[in-house]
């Protein structure tokens, strides 16, 4: 439960930062061009808001846990006082004149932005006057354009208002990457220093790799680290992997054309990891390991006579014998000893292992302030390029099954709060948010850009009715994708 809460808090904080700054990008350019912003909300606020505030006559008014401000619409009435409906029986609406509203009515002050925090932490919004968006404010849009409205501005002003959110998200990612590099540097384990070899997932074993192989190159290109290898074989589609086996035999493994699809179908997240010894760092009180008198520094080399000294191999043997007695052989002071202990039901002995990083020489690159800035920009571009390449996998049968929602995003965060990982993940999500919002889908920023480019090229503005239909279609598509992605998460949680 604690792990779930930590991951959830990290996800909400990260998305809150990203959504706020994304919407602020729209707000900044709207106000720059003197376009009114009617509402700016962190999180969505169906029916009620946790906090809403507005500056009225020079003074701030703040309300807590208050119902939302009602719409400034009302049904038209005829001379007999009856409500007017159209040919389909729907009410015909009109805007309530400002002079009919009381001075303390927030609707009487549309020139001032309403700020708020909603109760549904799934995003946020910035409602710009005179813009067809998810609010679908048809009554206001049926009136002639006003000077303070988005639709009254020329294309060269509307375009930056639309792309402001994407622009801010991408700049934010580069700033965060630069700050992370400046604060913590960049540390990784080169494949050349993985002296015990590589641990491969089952799909890698099926394609010809063996546990302990050392990766040398991919298609003749030297591979520096794990991330490089994954990108080359999964995203770039490179096929020929050169490995060193048993520290003597160099051979080339040729991956199949559908290797990426195999990996996606297998749902294996950790294709390659570093092998390292199983050495006891500490023994937990009241555990089988304490009863068997294991000590700090003991290096386990066999389970039930099965020779295995690497952590991954030993865990595999322990899993086979959960809840039973096993013979554990280990080195202590240069001598091989054997003891017997009963594993717990989850195949644990009750020891804390020596950290894996103590066995290897990592490579760390330090960045000064002025070095971190171009490095952060470069890392931002590399991340965007890599994500765009990965996006093509979504359109395969196997890739579509891996599309995830908030649950999948939450799993990306660590179970313990780590600021370096948190900010790195926030930068990655900022890049993803920028890219996804720029897709040419109505209801997304990219859809609005698509229509603005059409207007710039043809000199003709799409009709408001067409834009309303396009917005509706886009919202249906996005809602369907949201249901599909989160449905995948639910299915995996209960049935896999």
């Amino acid at each position: 439960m604690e792990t779930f809460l930590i991951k959830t808090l990290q996800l909400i904080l990260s998305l809150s930062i990203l959504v706020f700054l994304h919407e602020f990008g729209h707000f900044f350019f709207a106000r720059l061009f003197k376009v009114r912003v009617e509402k700016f909300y962190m999180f969505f606020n169906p029916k009620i808001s946790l906090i809403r505030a507005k500056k009225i006559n020079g003074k701030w008014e703040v309300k807590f846990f208050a119902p939302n401000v009602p719409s400034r619409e009302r049904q038209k009435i005829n001379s007999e006082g009856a409500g007017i409906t159209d040919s389909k029986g729907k009410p015909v609406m009109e805007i309530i004149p400002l002079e009919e509203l009381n001075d303390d009515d927030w609707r009487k002050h549309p020139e001032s932005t309403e700020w708020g925090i909603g109760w549904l932490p799934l995003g946020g919004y910035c409602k710009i006057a005179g813009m067809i968006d998810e609010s679908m404010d048809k009554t206001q849009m049926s009136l002639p354009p006003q000077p303070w409205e988005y639709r009254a501005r020329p294309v060269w002003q509307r375009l930056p208002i639309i792309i402001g959110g994407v622009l801010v998200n991408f700049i934010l990612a580069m700033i965060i990457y630069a700050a992370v590099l400046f604060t913590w540097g960049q540390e990784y384990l080169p494949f050349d220093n993985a002296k015990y070899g590589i641990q491969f997932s089952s799909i890698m074993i099926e394609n010809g790799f063996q546990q302990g192989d050392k990766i040398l190159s991919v298609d003749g290109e030297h591979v520096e680290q794990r991330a490089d290898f994954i990108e080359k074989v999964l995203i770039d589609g490179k096929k020929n992997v050169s490995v060193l086996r048993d520290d003597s035999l160099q051979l080339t493994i040729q991956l199949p054309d559908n290797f990426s699809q195999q990996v996606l179908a297998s749902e294996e997240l950790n294709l390659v990891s570093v092998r390292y010894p199983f050495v006891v760092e500490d023994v937990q009180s009241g555990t089988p390991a304490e009863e068997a008198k294991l000590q700090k520094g003991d290096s386990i080399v066999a389970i039930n006579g099965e020779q295995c000294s690497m952590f991954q191999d030993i865990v595999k043997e322990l899993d086979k014998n959960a809840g039973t007695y096993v013979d554990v052989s280990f080195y202590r002071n240069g001598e091989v000893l054997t003891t017997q202990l009963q594993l717990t039901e989850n195949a644990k002995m009750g020891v804390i292992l020596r950290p894996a990083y103590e066995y290897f020489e990592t490579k760390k690159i330090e960045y000064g302030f002025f070095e971190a800035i171009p490095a952060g920009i470069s890392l931002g571009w590399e991340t965007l390029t890599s994500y765009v390449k990965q996006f093509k996998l979504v359109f395969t049968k196997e890739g579509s099954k891996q599309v995830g929602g908030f649950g999948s995003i939450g799993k990306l965060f660590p179970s313990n709060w780590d600021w370096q990982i948190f900010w790195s993940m926030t930068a990655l999500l900022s890049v993803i948010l920028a890219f996804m919002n720029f897709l040419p889908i109505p209801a997304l920023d990219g859809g609005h850009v698509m229509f603005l480019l059409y207007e710039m090229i043809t000199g003709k503005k799409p009709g408001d009715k067409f834009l309303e239909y396009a917005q509706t279609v886009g919202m249906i598509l996005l809602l369907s994708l949201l249901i599909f992605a989160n449905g995948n998460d639910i299915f995996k949680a209960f049935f896999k």
Side-chain angles (χ1 to χ4, degrees):
M1 185 63 180
E2 182 181 354
T3 296
F4 172 78
L5 289 175
I6 291 174
K7 287 177 175 283
T8 301
L9 287 173
Q10 289 181 91
L11 174 63
I12 292 176
L13 177 59
S14 179
L15 292 181
S16 297
I17 293 170
L18 298 180
V19 170
F20 176 83
L21 292 175
H22 177 91
E23 299 301 334
F24 182 78
H26 295 306
F27 176 88
F28 173 80
F29 284 104
R31 298 304 298 134
L32 180 66
F33 298 121
K34 303 190 185 309
V35 174
R36 286 181 182 174
V37 178
E38 298 174 0
K39 294 182 180 181
F40 189 105
Y41 264 76
M42 172 60 67
F43 306 148
F44 294 119
N45 59 323
K47 303 294 185 181
I48 193 171
S49 301
L50 299 181
I51 303 174
R52 56 183 176 89
K54 188 166 185 169
K55 197 172 187 179
I56 298 176
N57 296 325
K59 295 183 179 180
W60 282 98
E61 289 191 12
V62 182
K63 297 185 182 296
F64 299 92
F65 304 100
N68 295 335
V69 177
S71 170
R72 216 184 111 198
E73 293 182 335
R74 67 183 178 193
Q75 186 177 8
K76 282 186 176 182
I77 58 175
N78 57 25
S79 57
E80 299 175 354
I84 301 174
T85 58
D86 60 18
S87 58
K88 296 180 180 180
K90 294 182 179 180
V92 176
M93 309 299 289
E94 66 176 358
I95 298 295
I96 302 173
L98 293 178
E99 57 269 19
E100 294 184 19
L101 300 173
N102 296 326
D103 285 341
D104 60 351
D105 191 323
W106 285 19
R107 294 174 297 174
K108 191 167 185 175
H109 308 274
E111 73 285 351
S112 178
T113 302
E114 177 187 330
W115 301 83
I117 299 177
W119 57 268
L120 189 60
L122 298 178
Y125 63 94
C126 173
K127 189 175 186 305
I128 298 173
M131 179 177 174
I132 296 177
D133 54 16
E134 60 273 5
S135 66
M136 300 299 287
D137 196 353
K138 298 180 182 180
T139 304
Q140 179 66 38
M141 297 300 293
S142 66
L143 300 176
Q146 300 299 313
W148 58 80
E149 291 186 331
Y150 166 86
R151 56 180 171 158
R153 291 289 183 258
V155 176
W156 71 268
Q157 292 184 2
R158 280 180 279 145
L159 188 58
I161 292 174
I162 291 299
I163 66 174
V166 169
L167 184 63
V168 166
N169 277 136
F170 189 57
I171 292 175
L172 174 66
M174 293 188 290
I175 291 174
I176 293 176
Y177 278 134
V180 168
L181 293 175
F182 173 69
T183 305
W184 290 285
Q186 190 175 26
E187 186 173 14
Y188 61 91
L189 174 65
F191 272 156
D192 292 343
N193 295 351
K195 55 186 177 183
Y196 301 107
I198 302 297
Q199 181 76 15
F200 296 95
S201 68
S202 59
I203 197 68
M204 300 291 284
I205 297 296
E206 290 174 12
N207 279 282
F209 295 92
Q210 289 186 11
Q211 306 296 14
D213 285 351
K214 297 179 180 179
I215 297 173
L216 302 177
S217 64
V218 177
D219 278 6
E221 299 178 16
H222 178 70
V223 180
E224 177 74 4
Q225 57 177 310
R226 178 182 179 275
D228 296 336
F229 175 76
I230 298 298
E231 181 162 357
K232 288 181 186 299
V233 299
L234 278 188
I235 302 172
D236 296 338
K238 297 185 182 297
K239 301 290 188 295
N240 300 299
V241 182
S242 177
V243 301
L244 182 65
R245 182 165 295 171
D246 299 325
D247 290 327
S248 59
L249 177 62
Q250 184 171 332
L251 52 90
T252 298
I253 298 173
Q254 186 171 25
L255 299 174
D257 292 337
N258 67 339
F259 179 69
S260 296
Q261 282 67 43
Q262 287 185 28
V263 171
L264 291 172
S266 71
E267 299 187 9
E268 293 179 347
L269 300 178
N270 196 16
L271 295 182
V272 294
S273 57
V274 177
R275 289 167 64 83
Y276 57 95
F278 194 114
V279 179
V280 177
E281 182 67 17
D282 194 15
V283 177
Q284 296 173 307
S285 177
T287 63
E290 184 183 47
E291 294 179 9
K293 300 188 184 306
L294 287 178
Q295 299 178 9
K296 178 179 179 178
D298 289 346
S299 179
I300 297 177
V301 293
I303 302 293
N304 286 339
E306 185 72 28
Q307 298 297 315
C308 48
S309 58
M310 294 296 108
F311 163 76
Q312 293 88 345
D313 299 333
I314 292 172
V315 169
K316 188 175 180 181
E317 288 299 317
L318 294 178
D319 286 340
K320 294 178 184 177
N321 298 279
T324 67
Y325 282 93
V326 294
D327 293 326
V328 179
S329 300
F330 55 93
Y331 267 103
R332 180 185 293 171
N333 299 324
E335 182 181 0
V336 178
L337 304 175
T338 300
T339 187
Q340 189 178 73
L341 56 81
Q342 184 178 15
L343 299 174
T344 65
E345 292 302 319
N346 58 352
K348 302 298 183 184
M349 292 189 294
V351 298
I352 296 173
L353 295 183
R354 181 170 297 172
Y357 61 79
E358 291 192 10
Y359 301 103
F360 309 106
E361 182 181 350
T362 59
K363 183 176 181 179
K364 185 169 185 179
I365 305 173
E366 302 281 1
Y367 294 89
F369 180 80
F370 293 106
E371 294 172 315
I373 295 174
I377 294 173
S378 177
L379 185 54
W381 277 111
E382 289 174 8
T383 303
L384 177 61
T385 302
S386 178
Y387 187 76
V388 171
K389 290 180 181 178
Q390 294 177 52
F391 192 69
K392 65 183 180 182
L393 299 176
V394 173
F395 300 100
T396 64
K397 178 182 178 181
E398 295 80 7
S400 63
K401 295 178 182 179
Q402 305 310 312
V403 174
F406 294 106
S408 294
I409 298 173
K411 290 178 181 178
L412 297 175
F413 291 93
S415 55
N416 296 314
W417 200 289
D418 184 307
W419 283 111
Q420 182 179 1
I421 298 177
F422 171 82
W423 286 116
S424 295
M425 286 306 310
T426 300
L428 172 62
L429 292 178
S430 194
V431 170
I432 294 174
L433 183 61
F435 172 74
M436 295 299 292
N437 261 284
F438 209 64
L439 293 175
I441 299 174
L444 290 179
D445 296 342
H448 291 287
V449 170
M450 179 174 62
F451 295 133
L452 287 175
L453 292 177
Y454 169 82
E455 182 179 348
M456 291 174 67
I457 295 171
T458 65
K460 298 178 181 179
K461 182 179 180 181
D464 288 344
K465 187 61 68 175
F466 170 80
L467 293 177
E468 287 177 12
Y469 289 141
Q471 184 76 16
T472 301
V473 170
M475 290 176 66
I476 292 173
L477 287 173
L478 293 179
L479 181 60
S480 300
L481 179 59
L482 187 66
I483 294 172
F484 176 75
N486 287 283
N488 269 351
D489 284 347
I490 295 172
F491 178 80
K492 292 174 185 177
F494 287 97
F495 300 104
K496 289 193 175 182

